[in-house]
Amino acid sequence: MAGGSEANVNESRRVVPLNTWVLISKFKIDYKLLRRPDGTFDRHLAEYLDRKVPANANPVGGVFSFDMIINRGTSLQVRIYRPSFEQEPHQLSITDLEKPVDADIVPVIVFFHGGSFAHSSANSAIYDTLCRRLVGICKAIVVSVSYRLAPENRYPCAYDDGWTALEWVSTRSWLRSKIDSKVHIYLAGDSSGGNIVHNVALRAVDSGIEVLGNILLNPMFGGVERTESERRLDGKYFVTLRDRDWYWRAFLPEGADRDHPACNPFGPYGKSLKGINFPKSLVVVAGLDLIQDWQLSYASGLEKYGHKVKLLFLKQATIGFYLLPNNDHFYTLMDEINSFINSDVNSNSE
Amino acid sequence: MGPSSTSNAGTGKPPPPPRTELDGFLAGAGHKVRSSDLHHVAQRLERLESAMVSSPSHVVSDLTSDTVHYNPADLVSWVDSLLSELTHSYHHPNNSSAPTSSTSSSSRSLPVDLDDLFAIPSAANNWLQPEMPLSQPPQLTVFTTMEEDSGIRLVHALMTCAELVQRGDLHLAGTLVDEMTALLTRINTGCGIGKVAGYFIDALSRRVSGAGSAPASPHETEILYHHFYEASPYLKFAHFTANQAILEAFEGHDCVHVIDFSLMHGLQWPALIQALALRPGGPPILRLTGIGPPSPDGRDTLREIGHRLAELARSVNVRFAFRGVAASGLEDVKPWMLQVSPNEAVAVNSIMQMHKLLGPDPSPIEPVLSWIRGLNPRIVTLVEQEVNHNQTGFLDRFTEALYYYSTVFDSLEAACPVQPDKALADMYLQREICNIVCCEGAARIERHETLAQWRDRLNRSGFRPLPLGSNAFKQASMLLTLFSAEGYSVEENEGCLTLGWHSRPLIAASAWQASPLSAAIAGGDN
């Protein structure tokens, strides 16, 4: 039976540093306590256990952050991260928070956190840390979105919120790069966040909002069929098929199966992406992630439709490798994201 | 700081002084574990995982629904208590889970037999731990709603004015106050930034002109407090959370004594009296000592409130005695006035009072904390505003207050309470703003400090934390849904609970008890 056997523990302990193992295993147990067999979710306990951090308008490590509600109707909240300004004559005032961007090109990354559609938020400690790192490494502004969570809010709420955030970002005058007075937007996300990236980008096509690139980090996709990687890796590295199935049941419309296009974008009910103006994508796949077959076919699916894809396959990486900067994969990933975004910057400023 | 645990192999030697640091990476992820404890935690997690897999499903679901979690940031005690909880329910399936306390990490009674598994060296762990700055830069949490241009101009002007005040340029500041007053006429002052700005402009105006702010009479304060209580969930949260902790601390005690540092209208106590009445095994004998200002007009308001509470207690068969202690400030209270007797369990309850003791030297806070400790209370419940309004620099203080009260007013507006509650609640807050902005020295009593600061202070004064559990969290969250406004959020913060507006905590509740005397003598270190 999958999960919990000594052999699996040995396996996963071999490939990640001890503190990473502790962190991901802790999440695994927390999450198990939250998922009820009847499909409901213990949201109070989830909120209690989630380690959150407040925003901080005082720069820490060259980055400051602040929260905003961008849609009163749904109480949609985002956390905005910016590099600190060079000269700070006095206390950052509210006017400084939205000080117009001062460079020719400043990438704005709209970030969707992971958590299989049910967990976490922009103020979860692990995602706050990740977003701060993205600012530093990519010299970007990051807008992290606290989209509505399943099972209380099923498909398409998360996508709707992602779309709202994209629209909001695209219309902020203070986020416009000087070179062309437009907001230079990239979408990024891990796990369910990666799935949201694809779906929001899809919605943006023909909308007039330009997305310059998609970054999908261990994106959450699936299908009815059981793939080879799912069978081979079930329960081996922190994740079981059973929990994957639970989350899809919690997110997808009642009665839908995993071939629903939200789960399986290039499956039997998938939409053709031929001939449309879809952004270039960076797809990051961890070699020890049981859903890699779905992620790899996503990447090749995009290619088949003639869209630019850079695939980063990290053979010995498990899920969550990017949560702590204590391994090579993390730094490889950051370099790749940086090139993906800033190669545009360099080519534009030539 | 942190659990007093070391992985001691029991060699008979005294444990080495606790020099191991927290794992920096995990700390960044909100989990506090010493590097030297990682191995132990890993073993426990694995053990917990396999226990959950092999237990019958009803045991696991009981575990999830009945277990009360405490302080999830402290990984060692969290995993230990969960493991013993699961093992306990497994072996005693008919026993409803006894509450396990993870305040001490002494539950390591289970044999550790998985050492072999972890003999395999872990993957290379060469990466340097992130630098943990010795002192974090001050937290400035800004939560804004959508921007409004006129509001931003006003805020900009306010900040400039505050800066002028800090520099001592009162003349120029006064000119700016006039300009801002004019600006105000052009925006909506009924709500949003206009309303808050209006209060701050008024406060600055008083400071600049030297008019200062007249302290409210105790009677006025009580009325405003009552309306603030009605118009928002903050005080209800404070009372509820404190009562829950007090109830738990009083378990097993037959004589209990609650000392309320500010009785007001005694709004907190009916719920506790009723909860004690329903206690399995019957209620204890309850004494309540209520501290409050002396009544000017010959009435004894304290006694009147005491009477009402006594009637309530009588109606639910709780033996009850009340005593009022009239004092203009906590610094005037002497422990003998409280007449604590040795056989009773004491709870000291302070809702938004302690910060008043943080005035200039000789500041009364240390003596007061010292006599509280001397009472050897079962529990001290502390609720305070979650913000630092005690900074010496005027501009810093002003900025913090502007952000803080903007958020508070935002939340009040959204709650849409009825008049006159709302107007008087606003006035309650306005008085705080005025005190923070206009007053200095002994007159400035609204010296709010953050949970982190209080933790530090209480740890140094010989107290240790009593974590508030997930049951309190859950009930507080559910209480909030009774309010029409969505947006209030309860958060767990290392054993304490905060209530805030969206992601900005505004009020923090914590519980404490006296550390063993030896720890206090040693300077309260760890």
Side-chain angles (χ1 to χ4, degrees):
Chain A
M1 196 202 111
S5 73
E6 292 183 9
N8 290 338
V9 169
N10 272 357
E11 274 305 310
S12 55
R13 284 279 278 111
R14 240 193 274 266
V15 296
V16 294
L18 181 54
N19 44 15
T20 301
W21 192 91
V22 165
L23 183 66
I24 301 182
S25 303
K26 164 80 169 43
F27 284 146
K28 191 168 137 196
I29 289 176
D30 277 358
Y31 294 176
K32 199 174 236 159
L33 294 176
L34 303 172
R35 295 190 299 266
R36 299 201 193 101
D38 63 357
T40 60
F41 189 81
D42 191 342
R43 182 61 62 191
H44 290 302
L45 186 58
E47 290 299 297
Y48 180 80
L49 294 175
D50 188 25
R51 309 286 80 220
K52 296 184 203 279
V53 296
N56 193 350
N58 285 327
V60 177
V63 180
F64 69 90
S65 63
F66 58 101
D67 293 337
M68 290 190 86
I69 297 265
I70 63 173
N71 181 315
R72 277 198 195 263
T74 51
S75 292
L76 180 60
Q77 188 170 312
V78 302
R79 178 166 290 180
I80 300 171
Y81 300 83
R82 293 186 74 162
S84 55
F85 307 116
E86 247 95 68
Q87 340 84 289
E88 268 151 60
H90 57 67
Q91 192 82 351
L92 265 184
S93 104
I94 201 170
T95 56
D96 294 329
L97 298 178
E98 292 163 23
K99 196 156 133 179
V101 148
D102 200 25
D104 274 348
I105 297 181
V106 174
V108 178
I109 302 174
V110 181
F111 180 78
F112 303 105
H113 65 81
S116 306
F117 292 107
H119 299 281
S120 300
S121 66
N123 46 358
S124 296
I126 47 172
Y127 288 112
D128 186 86
T129 303
L130 182 60
C131 287
R132 284 174 171 274
R133 297 211 172 101
L134 280 174
V135 173
I137 290 167
C138 304
K139 310 282 181 283
I141 291 180
V142 176
V143 178
S144 183
V145 184
S146 288
Y147 55 89
R148 281 169 292 169
L149 301 171
E152 300 94 314
N153 303 285
R154 291 177 176 269
Y155 163 96
C157 293
Y159 301 160
D160 290 344
D161 289 350
W163 171 249
T164 303
L166 175 60
E167 272 193 309
W168 184 85
V169 166
S170 70
T171 51
R172 292 311 98 189
S173 55
W174 54 279
L175 287 176
R176 291 189 194 137
S177 290
K178 286 189 125 85
I179 198 171
D180 54 9
S181 285
K182 296 211 284 214
V183 187
H184 286 220
I185 301 176
Y186 294 83
L187 301 179
D190 72 310
S191 167
S192 48
N195 179 300
I196 295 173
V197 166
H198 169 79
N199 284 282
V200 171
L202 207 53
R203 205 156 143 180
V205 168
D206 296 337
S207 70
I209 297 179
E210 188 184 6
V211 174
L212 296 172
N214 289 347
I215 299 165
L216 291 83
L217 181 47
N218 297 2
M220 187 171 155
F221 294 118
V224 168
E225 179 200 341
R226 298 301 193 195
T227 65
E228 185 273 335
S229 66
E230 283 171 323
R231 279 180 265 116
R232 174 170 48 95
L233 296 172
D234 186 10
K236 292 252 161 36
Y237 299 97
F238 309 110
V239 186
T240 65
L241 266 183
R242 210 156 142 200
D243 62 63
R244 295 295 94 211
D245 290 351
W246 190 98
Y247 289 112
W248 285 120
R249 277 196 306 274
F251 173 68
L252 294 171
E254 311 245 19
D257 68 19
R258 288 188 304 277
D259 279 339
H260 186 285
C263 176
N264 194 355
F266 298 139
Y269 308 108
K271 203 172 144 161
S272 163
L273 263 50
K274 192 174 171 145
I276 63 169
N277 189 15
F278 198 73
K280 64 172 184 173
S281 301
L282 170 63
V283 181
V284 182
V285 181
L288 301 177
D289 186 345
L290 82 174
I291 58 168
Q292 61 190 268
D293 286 346
W294 294 110
Q295 297 161 339
L296 293 168
S297 28
Y298 172 77
S300 57
L302 286 178
E303 275 182 327
K304 241 183 23 220
Y305 284 123
H307 300 296
K308 264 176 78 181
V309 181
K310 169 77 199 277
L311 174 67
L312 177 64
F313 184 80
L314 299 166
K315 190 153 177 235
Q316 281 295 96
T318 63
I319 54 131
F321 72 86
Y322 46 83
L323 294 177
L324 301 182
N326 58 0
N327 60 89
D328 286 329
H329 304 308
F330 175 89
Y331 290 98
T332 306
L333 171 68
M334 289 296 140
D335 281 345
E336 281 291 339
I337 293 179
N338 192 16
S339 322
F340 184 74
I341 289 177
N342 286 307
S343 58
D344 298 339
V345 178
N346 294 334
S347 62
N348 265 342
S349 40
E350 266 151 28
Chain B
M1 169 197 115
S4 52
S5 61
T6 50
S7 319
N8 197 8
T11 57
K13 295 192 194 128
R19 304 232 250 114
T20 50
E21 311 255 297
L22 293 180
D23 181 286
F25 293 117
L26 288 177
H31 293 97
K32 307 212 157 172
V33 197
R34 288 205 174 92
S35 304
S36 55
D37 281 336
L38 272 178
H39 202 78
H40 168 90
V41 170
Q43 288 174 344
R44 290 294 163 137
L45 284 170
E46 204 291 320
R47 182 110 189 198
L48 187 53
E49 164 79 26
S50 47
M52 283 169 77
V53 165
S54 58
S55 297
S57 58
H58 72 271
V59 172
V60 178
S61 61
D62 284 347
L63 178 73
T64 63
S65 54
D66 295 345
T67 304
V68 179
H69 301 255
Y70 292 95
N71 198 1
D74 179 356
L75 259 187
V76 174
S77 53
W78 182 82
V79 71
D80 280 350
S81 69
L82 212 55
L83 193 52
S84 70
E85 183 78 32
L86 181 59
T87 319
H88 180 266
S89 345
Y90 187 54
H91 290 297
H92 305 271
N94 295 321
N95 206 351
S96 60
S97 45
T100 54
S101 162
S102 52
T103 51
S104 71
S105 318
S106 60
S107 51
R108 296 184 192 181
S109 50
L110 298 167
V112 177
D113 53 13
L114 298 172
D115 288 322
D116 294 340
L117 271 187
F118 297 92
I120 298 158
S122 63
N125 197 2
N126 313 329
W127 295 98
L128 288 174
Q129 294 272 315
E131 244 178 55
M132 300 273 277
L134 283 171
S135 61
Q136 292 283 354
Q139 192 81 36
L140 178 60
T141 307
V142 176
F143 177 83
T144 71
T145 49
M146 303 216 265
E147 61 269 37
E148 295 155 21
D149 282 333
S150 52
I152 291 189
R153 269 177 70 201
L154 206 41
V155 170
H156 199 70
L158 276 167
M159 301 297 289
T160 309
C161 188
E163 214 184 344
L164 289 168
V165 168
Q166 174 161 280
R167 287 217 305 258
D169 196 339
L170 296 184
H171 177 73
L172 207 48
T175 316
L176 202 44
V177 164
D178 293 335
E179 283 178 27
M180 289 192 290
T181 310
L183 253 180
L184 260 188
T185 59
R186 302 210 299 262
I187 74 176
N188 182 358
T189 54
C191 62
I193 193 76
K195 184 166 163 188
V196 180
Y199 293 141
F200 277 87
I201 292 168
D202 174 72
L204 277 170
S205 160
R206 289 168 183 274
R207 183 171 181 119
V208 160
S209 68
S213 121
S217 74
H219 184 60
E220 274 174 14
T221 305
E222 272 174 32
I223 292 179
L224 295 179
Y225 181 92
H226 199 133
H227 287 281
F228 182 66
Y229 175 89
E230 293 295 342
S232 63
Y234 299 111
L235 292 176
K236 293 177 178 110
F237 165 79
H239 294 173
F240 170 81
T241 310
N243 284 346
Q244 177 70 28
I246 293 172
L247 200 60
E248 281 176 35
F250 280 170
E251 260 169 50
H253 292 272
D254 298 320
C255 293
V256 303
H257 182 179
V258 175
I259 299 169
D260 188 357
F261 273 7
S262 173
L263 188 66
M264 291 288 180
H265 293 161
L267 296 170
Q268 181 170 351
W269 307 118
L272 183 69
I273 292 170
Q274 280 159 343
L276 286 173
L278 295 172
R279 195 169 84 155
I285 302 173
L286 170 65
R287 283 182 60 205
L288 174 65
T289 300
I291 299 172
S295 319
D297 49 0
R299 278 172 62 197
D300 191 346
T301 17
L302 289 175
R303 183 171 232 130
E304 281 172 24
I305 294 164
H307 268 146
R308 283 209 298 270
L309 291 172
E311 270 171 37
L312 170 67
R314 196 171 15 250
S315 73
V316 293
N317 294 320
V318 173
R319 281 186 290 162
F320 177 84
F322 175 83
R323 179 186 186 78
V325 172
S328 3
L330 278 175
E331 59 273 20
D332 297 331
V333 174
K334 306 281 172 270
W336 57 262
M337 298 174 186
L338 308 171
Q339 301 204 334
V340 169
S341 74
N343 69 326
E344 56 191 16
V346 173
V348 174
N349 181 76
S350 169
I351 312 283
M352 330 266 247
Q353 299 303 309
M354 293 283 213
H355 60 260
K356 299 179 184 168
L357 300 172
L358 296 175
D361 285 329
S363 142
I365 185 70
E366 292 302 329
V368 171
L369 284 178
S370 174
W371 67 245
I372 293 175
R373 205 182 168 287
L375 298 177
N376 195 22
R378 283 287 306 160
I379 186 168
V380 178
T381 46
L382 179 70
V383 181
E384 285 285 329
Q385 290 90 333
E386 177 59 3
V387 62
N388 184 357
H389 285 150
N390 200 19
Q391 300 173 70
T392 37
F394 178 74
L395 183 57
D396 286 339
R397 210 162 73 229
F398 186 86
T399 310
E400 279 277 9
L402 188 57
Y403 290 144
Y404 180 78
Y405 287 102
S406 296
T407 311
V408 179
F409 277 109
D410 259 356
S411 75
L412 252 56
E413 263 163 47
C416 288
V418 296
Q419 299 289 2
D421 284 342
K422 187 157 184 286
L424 292 171
D426 287 353
M427 217 183 282
Y428 175 84
L429 295 168
Q430 186 194 9
R431 288 194 174 268
E432 282 185 12
I433 292 170
C434 233
N435 187 269
I436 293 167
V437 172
C438 302
C439 299
E440 292 295 346
R444 179 152 57 89
I445 56 167
E446 298 298 344
R447 295 178 177 264
H448 312 143
E449 287 192 349
T450 62
L451 184 55
Q453 290 170 288
W454 284 110
R455 270 203 189 105
D456 198 47
R457 195 182 286 285
L458 285 165
N459 279 323
R460 277 184 286 114
S461 304
F463 292 89
R464 64 181 179 194
L466 273 180
L468 302 171
S470 56
N471 52 348
F473 177 91
K474 178 172 178 175
Q475 289 172 71
S477 301
M478 279 161 52
L479 196 81
L480 283 181
T481 61
L482 296 176
F483 275 83
S484 50
E486 269 221 18
Y488 289 105
S489 64
V490 183
E491 285 184 15
E492 194 281 340
N493 182 329
E494 293 184 51
C496 306
L497 296 185
T498 61
L499 172 61
W501 181 241
H502 292 287
S503 59
R504 164 82 210 244
L506 293 169
I507 180 175
S510 59
W512 304 84
Q513 65 181 188
S515 307
L517 211 52
S518 54
I521 288 170
D525 228 359
N526 271 27

